[in-house]
């Protein structure tokens, strides 16, 4: 289904006033840390925007990212976003199925060639893996992606799986899963990681892209700096307790009930960059740390293999106790052998020893 | 006859590497505090006298043979090796600038007993033929004549006669089954002959049965000073043979420092078995008699006295309180040097340094540390219990124009005995 | 650094295992070798037992005698300060306690972070002073080898990177945390082959010396 009407037309159809629309633009501006003077520009851009075609490819995913996006408690904002884009292909949300769905995709690609946005959630089996691990309509994920990439303007990888490989890529990675960025090399690409990402982060990035027509400022992991530029630790409301050295040591102990820092329970906040600490979840209701659970670090690459959700940041990831014990034993054996050899050498030396005689010393006078 | 060689030296060093040595070299962090305990560094300012450096040959051997990194270096042919040249270079460091006083062992923060390692390193020096002429000559005299200074029984006999006529008492010789065999030091017999008379009178006064041995009278051990367990063992064995032959209960070491450590602590390990008799320093025996109430004295000296603890007696053997108890008997005005007992400062002459002419200048320089201690206290006289220390103090005080007489403790005790009637 | 998280996970994972392995083997070998070399039997009659004096010296050698303190106050004071500071930063900082707990199963109460932070700053400054002292003091300058300076760097780096990490002065955090952990791993790898072994063997050395002097009746 191609996008024909402008945003304003669609909004009016939905019964949303211009005032409501401008409120949204103001909210979007502040969310992107843009000054209020930008609001008219956003409004103008969005007004005129033809709803761009979005082809959403779902690969090895749990659908959590889609659930997050749609599981919103402020329908006005999220739904507005969904009305800004023309979602031409989405396994879960689309009405069509089977061949009809594939036809819709191919038609959208043809009609918007060079201009459509690809959104991916889920990781995909890489070029060296058996493509049969994940297919739709008999076509492998990789093949589908490569086919759809041809006329794409940009790619947005939503969720940790698409951005970094996520859970499928976690050890032992049975499907040979790779991230989208491992396969997409010559198209503009944004990663919006999270497991799932904060809903408003998704919508915020889309709005930014649509307003300015180019990618926002990205970090080394190609995540938008506006939402992934700060560590959880630096915005966490429990930070004063970390600084003071007050930690919960088990779930529901005195410290936990007092809302102390969750570092010792495995919080990955110090090394996780996301917007949870400020934007929260469920329309600002709460977030993991606020609910008393340590941050999993779900917007970071390989967070599943980062040691353990309940092991502190400072704890190594491997079987270090066994390693140390084994090394100690090996060393003790080696040292014992060396000492035994030395003692034998000394004993032999003593047996072969020629005592010093005074005449020998006098030779040196 | 074989010759001393580097190989024999290395074998000797190798034999000296035990658990403590390995722990010591594993722990040295080059903090340099040992230098702050060494009179030879302090009074010359030359960092080459830093104690831990003196044992570098031993350390190198340990590193090359017992540490992984050292073994690797040796395999690759890099790193310094212990050679004759190196040992020659180290000879003055080990013999001229070290008395094995042990103060460095007391202050090392990681607990290294550096003094013991100097003693061990000297074994390697001797076996490879790197020892000072003075010590070699003293050892030769000791082995051949029984005395490092060549003192003969004939000369000693003359002194015995003199003591007997002066005191009216008998000096027992070769008396069997008595309590103690008294050893003498040649240095004492020659320089401080009043010692023999003093113990004759004290033993008679206290009712101690004792004897000298004609076969062997020498307490000192040139082998320990030069650092040769072979020579040292031979000399100790002579003492053991004499003591066992005379069936005595104990052996008395005279006013000497290293003689006591040689007999008391090193001896049994040189002959590799325990003694069937006990060993006491004369000061230990005198204090024992004092505690048993067997020393009756009268009168006290009133001049200001201070004391020099011989390193081998105090720090290295734990005889510290005894001499002070004895001083309390006979001195009214005794004041200790600021650092005394286990932390006293070496006089600079022990450990073979005074037998080593090449070290004369260094020995006098090291004395300045003692001199500073004495100047702090300004005594009228100094008391000590070792002939070498006493000689060094006298020489040093004279060298620096300080008019402070030095006296032996046994002598003072003897001078204050309440005389019983002389035997008929 | 294009992938800070990969770097961090590498230093927390396989690199840590490697460092621990080298450290474990090397240190165990060194200590067992020391003990198994043994001592020759001592036939001289002791004045008293050597066990207790050994343990006494093991602890008491930490404090310098007045004479040494008078002669070398810098070494005594600054040496104690930086060692204590290092130990506090290492053992009383809660994230480190978590690490040690995961390794050895032991844990204990920690100090508040700002306190550890202040101690770390003092330790860093003391270490710099100690380096200057080593370069300028006649004895230390004379006896120091390349290893002394290498070990200074190996000791300083974990402290400075830890400080930078704690204060998040270098971004992104996984990079500086990874660097800190890497510096610690370098320290661990160097430990068994350098004078850093004194961390463990000094107590063995102190015991032997305390025992030697103690059986002769001398408190050392």
């Amino acid at each position: 289904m191609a996008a024909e009407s402008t945003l304003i037309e669609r909004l009016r159809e939905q019964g949303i006033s211009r005032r409501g629309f401008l409120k949204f633009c103001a909210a979007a501006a502040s969310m992107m840390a843009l000054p209020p003077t930008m609001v008219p520009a956003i409004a103008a851009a969005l007004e005129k925007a033809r709803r761009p075609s979005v082809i959403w490819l779902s690969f090895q995913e749990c659908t959590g990212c889609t659930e997050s996006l749609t599981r919103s408690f402020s329908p006005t904002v999220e739904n507005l976003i969904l009305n800004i884009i023309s979602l031409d292909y989405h396994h879960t949300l689309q009405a069509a199925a089977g061949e009809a769905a594939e036809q819709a995709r191919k038609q959208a690609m043809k009609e918007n060639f060079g201009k459509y946005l690809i959104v991916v959630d889920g990781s995909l089996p890489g070029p060296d893996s058996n493509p049969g691990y994940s297919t739709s309509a008999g076509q492998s994920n990789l093949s589908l992606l490569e086919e759809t990439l041809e006329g794409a303007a940009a790619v947005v990888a939503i969720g940790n799986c698409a951005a970094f490989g996520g859970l499928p890529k976690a050890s032992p990675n049975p499907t040979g899963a790779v991230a989208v960025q491992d396969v997409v090399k010559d198209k503009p690409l944004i990663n919006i990681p999270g497991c799932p990402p904060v809903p408003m982060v998704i919508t915020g990035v889309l709005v930014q892209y649509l307003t300015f027509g180019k990618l926002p400022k990205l970090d080394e992991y190609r995540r938008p700096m506006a939402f992934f530029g700060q560590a959880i630790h630096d915005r966490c409301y429990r930070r004063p307790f970390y600084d003071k050295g007050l930690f919960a040591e088990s779930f529901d102990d005195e410290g936990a009930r007092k809302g102390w820092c969750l570092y010792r329970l495995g919080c990955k906040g110090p090394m996780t960059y996301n917007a949870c600490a400020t934007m929260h979840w469920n329309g600002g209701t709460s977030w993991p740390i606020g609910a008393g659970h340590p941050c999993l670090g779900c917007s970071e690459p390989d967070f599943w293999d980062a040691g353990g959700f309940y092991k502190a940041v400072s704890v190594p990831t491997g079987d270090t106790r066994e390693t140390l014990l084994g090394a100690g034993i090996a060393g003790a054996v080696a040292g014992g052998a060396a000492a035994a050899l030395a003692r034998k050498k000394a004993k032999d030396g003593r047996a072969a020893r020629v005592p010093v005689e005074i005449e020998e010393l006098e030779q040196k006078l | 006859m074989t010759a001393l060689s580097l190989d024999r030296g290395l074998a000797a060093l190798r034999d000296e590497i035990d658990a403590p040595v390995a722990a010591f070299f594993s722990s040295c962090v080059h903090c340099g505090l040992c230098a702050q305990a060494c009179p030879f560094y302090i009074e010359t300012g030359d960092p080459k006298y830093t104690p831990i450096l003196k044992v570098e040959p031993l350390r190198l051997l340990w590193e090359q043979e017992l540490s992984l990194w050292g073994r690797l270096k040796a395999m690759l042919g890099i790193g310094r090796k212990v050679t004759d040249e190196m040992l020659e270079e180290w000879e003055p460091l080990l013999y001229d600038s070290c008395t094995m006083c042990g103060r460095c062992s007391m202050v090392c923060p990681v607990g290294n007993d550096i003094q013991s390692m100097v003693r061990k390193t000297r074994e390697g020096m001797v076996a490879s033929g790197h020892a000072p002429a003075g010590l070699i000559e003293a050892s030769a005299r000791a082995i051949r004549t029984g005395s490092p200074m060549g003192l003969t029984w004939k000369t000693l006999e003359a002194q015995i006669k003199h003591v007997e006529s002066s005191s009216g008492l008998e000096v027992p010789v070769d008396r069997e089954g008595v309590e103690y065999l008294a050893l003498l030091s040649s240095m004492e017999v020659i320089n401080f002959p009043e010692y023999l008379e003093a113990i004759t009178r004290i033993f008679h006064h206290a009712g101690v049965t004792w004897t000298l041995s004609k076969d062997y009278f020498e307490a000192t051990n040139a082998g320990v000073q030069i650092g040769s367990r072979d020579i040292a063992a031979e000399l100790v064995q002579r003492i053991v043979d004499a003591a066992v032959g005379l069936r005595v209960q104990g052996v008395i070491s005279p006013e000497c420092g290293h003689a006591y450590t040689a007999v008391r602590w090193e001896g049994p390990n040189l002959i590799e078995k325990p003694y069937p008799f006990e060993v006491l320093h004369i000061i230990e025996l005198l204090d024992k008699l004092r505690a048993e109430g067997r020393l009756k004295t009268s009168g006290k000296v009133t001049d200001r006295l201070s004391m020099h603890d011989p390193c081998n007696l105090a720090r290295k053997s734990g005889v510290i309180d005894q001499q002070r108890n004895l001083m309390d008997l006979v001195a009214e005005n005794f004041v200790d040097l600021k650092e005394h007992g286990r932390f006293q400062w070496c006089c600079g002459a022990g450990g073979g340094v005074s037998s080593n002419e090449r070290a004369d200048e260094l020995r006098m320089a090291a004395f300045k540390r003692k001199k500073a201690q004495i100047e702090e206290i300004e005594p009228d006289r100094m008391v000590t219990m070792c002939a070498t220390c006493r000689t060094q103090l006298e020489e040093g005080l004279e060298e620096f124009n300080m008019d402070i007489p030095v006296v032996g403790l046994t002598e003072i005790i003897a001078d204050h005995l309440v005389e019983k009637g002389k035997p008929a | 650094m294009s992938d800070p998280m990969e770097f961090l996970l590498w230093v927390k994972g396989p690199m840590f295992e490697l460092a621990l392995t080298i450290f474990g083997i090397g240190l165990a070998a060194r200590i067992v070798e020391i003990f198994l070399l043994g001592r020759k039997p001592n036939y001289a009659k002791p004045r008293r037992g050597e066990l207790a004096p050994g343990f006494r010296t093991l602890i008491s050698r930490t404090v310098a005698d007045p004479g040494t303190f008078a002669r070398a106050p810098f070494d005594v004071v600054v040496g104690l300060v930086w060692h204590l500071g290092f130990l506090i930063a290492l053992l009383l900082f809660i994230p480190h306690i978590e690490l040690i707990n995961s390794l050895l199963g032991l844990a204990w109460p920690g100090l508040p972070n700002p306190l550890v932070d202040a101690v770390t700053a003092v330790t860093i400054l003391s270490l710099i002073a100690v380096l200057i002292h080593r370069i300028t003091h006649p004895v230390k300058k004379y006896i120091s080898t390349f290893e002394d300076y290498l070990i200074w760097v190996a000791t300083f780096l974990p402290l400075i990177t830890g400080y930078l990490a704690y204060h998040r002065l270098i971004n992104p955090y996984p990079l500086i945390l990874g660097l800190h952990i890497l510096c610690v791993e370098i320290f661990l790898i160097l430990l068994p082959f350098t004078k850093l072994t004194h961390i463990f063997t000094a107590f063995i050395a102190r015991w032997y010396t305390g025992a030697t002097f103690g059986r002769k009746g001398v408190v050392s």
Side-chain angles (χ1 to χ4, degrees), chain B residues 265-277:
Chain B
W265 303 115
E266 270 208 47
N269 297 319
L270 291 168
I271 62 174
E272 291 181 350
K273 54 180 187 283
Y275 295 149
F277 50 81

Side-chain angles (χ1 to χ4, degrees), chain B residues 14-68:
Chain B
R14 201 170 285 127
D15 198 27
E16 293 294 335
I17 297 178
D18 56 5
V21 169
F24 297 154
F25 287 133
S26 295
S27 306
C28 172
V29 294
H30 286 163
C31 74
L33 282 183
C34 53
Q36 302 299 344
C38 182
F40 292 91
Y41 163 71
I42 291 172
E43 296 303 337
T44 62
D46 193 336
K48 76 181 183 196
Y49 297 127
T50 302
I52 195 65
L53 274 189
K54 293 168 183 165
V55 298
E56 181 67 7
L58 186 65
R59 191 200 68 80
L60 269 176
L61 196 67
W62 166 82
E63 188 189 76
Q64 277 154 24
E65 305 204 345
L66 285 170
S67 79
L68 181 65

Side-chain angles (χ1 to χ4, degrees), chain A residues 249-272:
Chain A
E249 301 197 16
S250 68
F251 288 107
D252 211 30
D253 72 354
E254 187 206 352
R257 283 189 229 148
K258 286 188 175 162
W260 288 354
C261 175
L262 301 169
Y263 185 96
R264 303 189 81 158
L265 291 173
C267 182
K268 303 297 183 298
M271 61 192 221
T272 304

Side-chain angles (χ1 to χ4, degrees), chain C residues 71-107:
Chain C
R71 293 203 168 272
F74 180 93
D75 282 301
V76 172
V77 173
V78 183
L80 262 175
V81 163
W82 90 252
H83 273 89
L84 270 173
F86 191 93
L87 283 172
I88 288 174
L90 174 64
L91 299 174
L92 297 181
F93 180 53
I94 299 225
H96 291 162
I97 296 174
E98 285 294 322
L99 164 65
I100 294 168
N101 195 8
S102 81
L103 267 176
L104 300 174
L106 299 167

Side-chain angles (χ1 to χ4, degrees), chain B residues 314-331:
Chain B
R315 178 164 40 248
K316 291 169 70 177
S317 298
V319 179
I320 298 171
D321 293 332
Q322 290 89 328
Q323 49 268 40
R324 284 157 178 86
N325 297 338
L326 291 166
M327 282 305 292
D328 284 343
L329 267 188
V330 295

Side-chain angles (χ1 to χ4, degrees), chain C residues 8 10 22 73 88 92 94 121 140 143 146 152 184 195 213-214:
Chain C
L8 176 62
W10 174 74
I22 295 174
I88 288 174
L92 297 181
I94 299 225
K140 285 163 104 170
I143 67 178
F146 169 74
W152 185 91
V184 172
K195 71 182 193 184
F213 277 89

Side-chain angles (χ1 to χ4, degrees), chain B residues 67-248:
Chain B
S67 79
L68 181 65
W69 178 231
R71 287 195 200 94
L72 269 168
K73 279 202 283 190
M75 271 203 295
L76 296 168
I78 51 175
R80 190 174 194 176
K81 296 255 178 325
V82 181
T83 58
D84 270 311
E85 287 76 34
M86 181 187 186
L87 294 178
E88 201 182 312
E89 199 189 323
W90 250 254
E91 195 197 300
L93 295 178
L94 281 160
Y95 287 104
D96 300 13
S97 68
C98 183
T99 55
M100 301 196 290
C101 81
R103 195 189 169 90
C104 51
S105 302
M106 295 283 285
V107 311
C108 172
V110 297
N112 286 355
D113 189 355
I114 303 173
Q115 176 272 128
S116 75
M117 293 201 282
V118 170
R119 171 72 183 84
K120 285 167 176 282
T121 310
R122 286 187 183 183
E123 291 286 338
M125 300 296 281
V126 167
S128 60
H130 295 280
L135 283 176
I136 296 177
E137 285 158 358
S139 302
R141 283 191 294 265
I143 291 285
R144 298 218 174 84
T145 72
S147 156
M149 295 172 81
L151 178 71
T152 60
W153 177 257
K154 261 189 101 66
T155 317
L156 182 52
E157 207 168 22
Q159 205 182 88
I160 290 172
K161 296 249 173 338
H162 175 80
V163 166
E164 285 180 331
S165 78
S166 158
S167 66
L169 299 167
E170 186 205 352
V171 175
V173 175
D174 286 346
R175 197 63 69 79
E176 292 193 25
V178 292
E179 287 170 281
Y180 298 111
L181 164 65
L183 299 172
L184 302 171
S185 98
S186 294
M187 171 89 106
E188 214 169 31
V189 170
I190 293 170
N191 290 349
F192 311 114
E194 55 274 8
Y195 174 76
L196 184 56
E197 178 160 348
I199 61 171
T200 306
R201 289 171 47 219
I202 294 172
F203 289 162
H204 171 80
H205 171 98
V208 171
T209 61
W210 67 292
T211 183
L212 292 178
S213 162
K214 188 166 170 187
D215 280 342
Y216 197 69
F217 58 81
E218 183 68 43
T220 66
N221 196 316
V224 161
Q225 298 198 318
I226 201 174
S228 163
R229 38 204 293 245
D230 301 308
I231 294 172
E234 193 175 330
L235 297 174
V236 167
Q237 189 61 50
R238 294 174 188 176
I239 296 175
V240 174
D241 291 342
V244 167
L246 290 170
R247 297 179 293 110
V248 295

Side-chain angles (χ1 to χ4, degrees), chain A residues 190-259:
Chain A
I190 305 177
N191 285 323
I192 308 180
C195 189
V198 178
M200 293 221 294
V201 170
I202 303 175
T203 55
V205 172
L206 288 175
V207 165
Q208 180 157 27
Y209 180 68
L210 292 168
T211 306
F212 295 102
K214 57 182 170 94
L215 298 178
K217 188 151 177 270
L218 302 174
D219 72 1
E220 71 271 13
Y221 288 117
R222 296 157 123 176
R223 305 176 294 196
M225 293 284 289
F227 301 107
F228 296 92
Q230 290 182 338
I232 301 293
H233 188 67
D234 286 333
R235 293 285 167 187
C236 179
Y237 77 110
R238 296 195 181 199
R239 178 71 178 273
F241 294 102
Y242 171 87
D243 287 337
K244 268 193 282 204
L246 294 171
F247 300 93
E249 301 197 16
S250 68
F251 288 107
D252 211 30
D253 72 354
E254 187 206 352
R257 283 189 229 148
K258 286 188 175 162

